[in-house]
Amino acid sequence: MDLSAEFKRWKAQCLSKADLSRKGSVDEDVLEIVQLLNGQEQFFTTSSCAGRIILLDRSVNGSEVQKQNCCWLLVTHKACVKDDVIVALQKAKGDAILKFEPLVLHVQCLQLQDAQILHSVAIDSGFRNSGITVGKRGKTMLAVRSTHGLEVPLSHQGKLMVTEEYINFLLKIANQKMEENKKRIERFYHCLQHALEKETVSTTSQPKEKVNTSYIRKKKRNPGKAHGKRVNEEHDKELENNDHDDPGISDTIFPEDY
């Protein structure tokens, strides 16, 4: 069976499976991206989360849903208010941790050059921790990730270790990160549309170029281009300001067994 036929089989199996996530459905903020990708013959999504603010309790007791030995005391994909966190903290019996997690999106791609197109879109949309993995069975995966997360402990063994004023301060930061995350998602969607339109024109006018599968380990990225689309200096400066700890991940292929 050739790779194209095998990819179609993988895609059909993945998209026919029930959604086993906690929510049970695709997050609203990332739904358009998921639908756009799954509507292309060369892509399909394997998992996604639009971004969320979570309050976890690292204990194994309680009636809340468990995940990796943690109780989910609170989870929201929108801005969070202090009162909701204070109420949720009353249920904590272990170490409560407030987290903000940005967008995570995993996409299986037909060919390496398809993954490279999405990687360029992700990087230039602000998701600078994105990367490509190539498995021995021929699976090419792109992970869209960012570095602007947040993780802060609030209580220890059920005892609150910070003031309500500090919790309010943390929530302002988390909500700002959530807003920035949504802007990047919107940017990703529009850049993806542009890239797919350009690729369609390119493939109808001439055959695809063969990609060198050895691929340079560290490919210098031109920050002024978003897959053929100029990104202005103000946009680049905004991304830099929001990713102070971001080393600027380049196009790197990580062989992986899966």
Side-chain angles (χ1 to χ4, degrees):
M1 184 180 292
D2 62 23
L3 182 59
S4 179
E6 184 77 351
F7 182 84
K8 290 180 180 179
R9 184 177 68 83
W10 288 333
K11 181 172 183 176
Q13 287 179 344
C14 182
L15 298 184
S16 64
K17 291 179 181 178
D19 190 329
L20 300 179
S21 65
R22 171 183 167 87
K23 184 181 177 183
S25 62
V26 177
D27 296 335
E28 182 180 353
D29 288 337
V30 80
L31 181 59
E32 286 186 321
I33 293 176
V34 170
Q35 291 176 336
L36 180 57
L37 288 170
N38 289 336
Q40 311 298 313
E41 63 179 13
Q42 69 272 38
F43 303 118
F44 68 90
T45 59
T46 61
S47 65
S48 65
C49 177
R52 59 196 177 186
I53 297 173
I54 316 172
L55 184 64
L56 299 175
D57 182 18
R58 287 184 177 168
S59 67
V60 295
N61 299 318
S63 59
E64 292 82 3
V65 175
Q66 302 288 327
K67 184 177 181 181
Q68 298 179 349
N69 297 323
C70 293
C71 295
W72 293 48
L73 302 176
L74 175 69
V75 57
T76 178
H77 297 273
K78 300 179 180 179
C80 189
V81 297
K82 183 189 71 174
D83 290 347
D84 291 341
V85 174
I86 296 300
V87 171
L89 277 170
Q90 295 174 3
K91 305 175 187 177
K93 299 178 181 179
D95 297 345
I97 299 173
L98 180 70
K99 298 181 66 176
F100 166 72
E101 298 176 343
L103 168 76
V104 175
L105 177 67
H106 293 96
V107 185
Q108 188 165 334
C109 308
L110 177 59
Q111 299 182 61
L112 179 57
Q113 58 261 44
D114 299 319
Q116 289 171 333
I117 291 171
L118 287 191
H119 186 266
S120 294
V121 169
I123 293 295
D124 290 298
S125 300
F127 298 101
R128 296 182 173 179
N129 200 32
S130 300
I132 301 169
T133 60
V134 180
K136 290 183 179 180
R137 293 182 59 195
K139 291 184 178 181
T140 302
M141 297 289 299
L142 171 81
V144 180
R145 298 173 300 222
S146 185
T147 60
H148 67 297
L150 178 71
E151 181 171 343
V152 183
L154 300 182
S155 70
H156 177 59
Q157 296 181 351
K159 180 181 178 181
L160 187 63
M161 306 299 292
V162 299
T163 65
E164 291 191 14
E165 182 181 7
Y166 185 65
I167 293 174
N168 194 49
F169 168 73
L170 290 176
L171 288 177
K172 286 182 180 179
I173 296 175
N175 290 336
Q176 288 172 357
K177 288 178 177 289
M178 178 70 81
E179 186 62 30
E180 172 60 25
N181 182 65
K182 290 184 178 182
K183 290 179 181 178
R184 295 186 188 191
I185 291 175
E186 292 175 1
R187 197 178 297 137
F188 182 92
Y189 178 68
H190 293 305
C191 288
L192 176 60
Q193 284 182 312
H194 176 82
L196 292 176
E197 290 169 0
K198 183 175 181 179
E199 183 67 10
T200 299
V201 172
S202 175
T203 53
T204 54
S205 60
Q206 59 183 8
K208 278 187 178 181
E209 295 182 2
K210 290 185 178 180
V211 173
N212 182 359
T213 54
S214 62
Y215 206 62
I216 300 174
R217 180 166 179 78
K218 288 193 176 181
K219 178 181 176 183
K220 187 176 181 181
R221 180 173 58 86
N222 184 346
K225 293 183 179 180
H227 191 63
K229 183 176 181 180
R230 181 70 186 175
V231 179
N232 60 44
E233 294 179 0
E234 181 180 351
H235 166 53
D236 275 345
K237 185 176 181 181
E238 176 189 351
L239 293 181
E240 291 173 3
N241 289 338
N242 284 294
D243 272 336
H244 296 297
D245 58 341
D246 192 343
I249 302 301
S250 59
D251 254 357
T252 305
I253 304 302
F254 305 101
E256 183 174 298
D257 231 349
Y258 65 102

